Amino acid sequence: MRDLRLLFAIFATLCSATIAVAQESIDSGFNLIVVGDPQPQTKAQLASLEEEIIPQIATIVEEYKAQSNRPTAILLTGDVVWDTMRFLPRVKSAFESLGVEVYAVIGNHDHNRAFCRKDARAERPYVKVFGPRNQSFTMGETLFVTLDNIMFNPNKTYREQVDDEQLAWLEEVMRQNPDAKRVAVCMHASATDFQTEKIKPYAQPIVDIVGDRELHFVTGHRHRHNTAEHSLKLYEHSVAQVNGNLWFAPICSDGMPKGVFCIEERDGEWQWHHRVLGRDADYRLVVWREGVVKDNEEYVVVKVVGWDNKWRVEWAENGVEMGEMERIEIYDPDYMHYVEYEANYGKRYMERLRNSATLRSHYYRLRRTVQNSEITITAFDSFGRRFEERL
């Protein structure tokens, strides 16, 4: 069966051109709103997606449309639903209501577990709604491809793997697009081992096929934000869950507020940021005054939303430059406060919320030298954009 699917995939690739997103003006580039793991499991969660999250994403879409005629699209990073196959059409319809192209990848919870002994059959509900698991499309100077890296075993467990059929398909797409400057490989599970900061063995053939082009993996699954820069031409963007922590906390366990990951191509180059839903586009810094953060009561503590290791955070006191703030590793204060004082679920979910909390290092602290002094915190992201908070 897989051999037949391989032949069909290659034939389909040869017979159809890569999907090109129409551009209605000379504006170059694009806007891609990446939505991490929507994953509704209940009717209430589905309603929250439709009535709360979609309207907030609509605001971002309208902002992009007002800026220029660059194409805007949505990418869902898998786990479109939470084992609720019947929700797939409504989730797709909800995102299509935004009036832009919608793309998706298949996640582990998008497989029909009743048929996971036969992976292809388990994929049918997803494929019926979103189309083939492998698709390609071009926006700006970037070639996007979608891959399925969730492979179920007969015992209904799964592994992260991209099969030979898909690698053959990817090779053919690369042959058909020899001039592609940049390739974005969109999958559900990560390509990077974020502890070792190395590309996982299963993903190395993808890197080899893409070759010397600039390569960005765009993934979800981990429900946390991370951008790993392996080289000037190799990145992975792991996108936090759009709805917080599995719908049970209004913030992800790594401290990322509910939001989406925005990738923007301008003048042929990428830039990106985590966009918090319901907040302005330049909302990047969360500040806690002294006495709030556990074990740091003497300090002002700052969280950088959408941090990567190229951020620089400085401070000034009463107009005097004090240099860079001290970077620290802590559990997110807002997440921990919610779990300990606001969450009210059964034992199973409370344990899950507590256990999912992770130490993260996108926090900074400062200690005043003068009581009640005026503090200015200034941060610069990977692209030199400047953000400021005063207290």
Side-chain angles (χ1 to χ4, degrees), residues 48-97:
S48 293
L49 175 69
E50 294 171 327
E51 298 168 11
E52 298 173 20
I53 290 177
I54 291 295
Q56 293 181 84
I57 297 177
T59 298
I60 302 171
V61 171
E62 293 307 312
E63 287 177 7
Y64 278 137
K65 288 182 177 180
Q67 292 170 11
S68 71
N69 283 325
R70 294 185 185 93
T72 296
I74 300 289
L75 172 69
L76 311 179
T77 64
D79 283 2
V80 178
V81 296
W82 194 346
D83 302 323
T84 45
M85 301 298 107
R86 68 187 186 279
F87 288 171
L88 282 166
R90 273 183 62 177
V91 173
K92 184 183 182 186
S93 178
F95 282 100
E96 287 181 333
S97 72

Side-chain angles (χ1 to χ4, degrees), residues 289 315-320 322 366 368 370-377 388-391:
R289 293 177 177 267
W315 69 293
E317 185 177 30
N318 291 331
V320 178
M322 303 296 285
L366 66 87
R368 299 179 202 251
V370 179
Q371 189 175 9
N372 298 323
S373 57
E374 180 181 271
I375 300 296
T376 303
I377 299 165
E388 183 177 288
E389 291 288 337
R390 294 177 181 269
L391 64 155

Side-chain angles (χ1 to χ4, degrees), residues 304-321:
V304 175
V305 174
W307 180 91
D308 60 51
N309 61 11
K310 289 188 176 181
W311 277 79
R312 187 174 82 255
V313 185
E314 303 172 346
W315 69 293
E317 185 177 30
N318 291 331
V320 178
E321 299 294 333

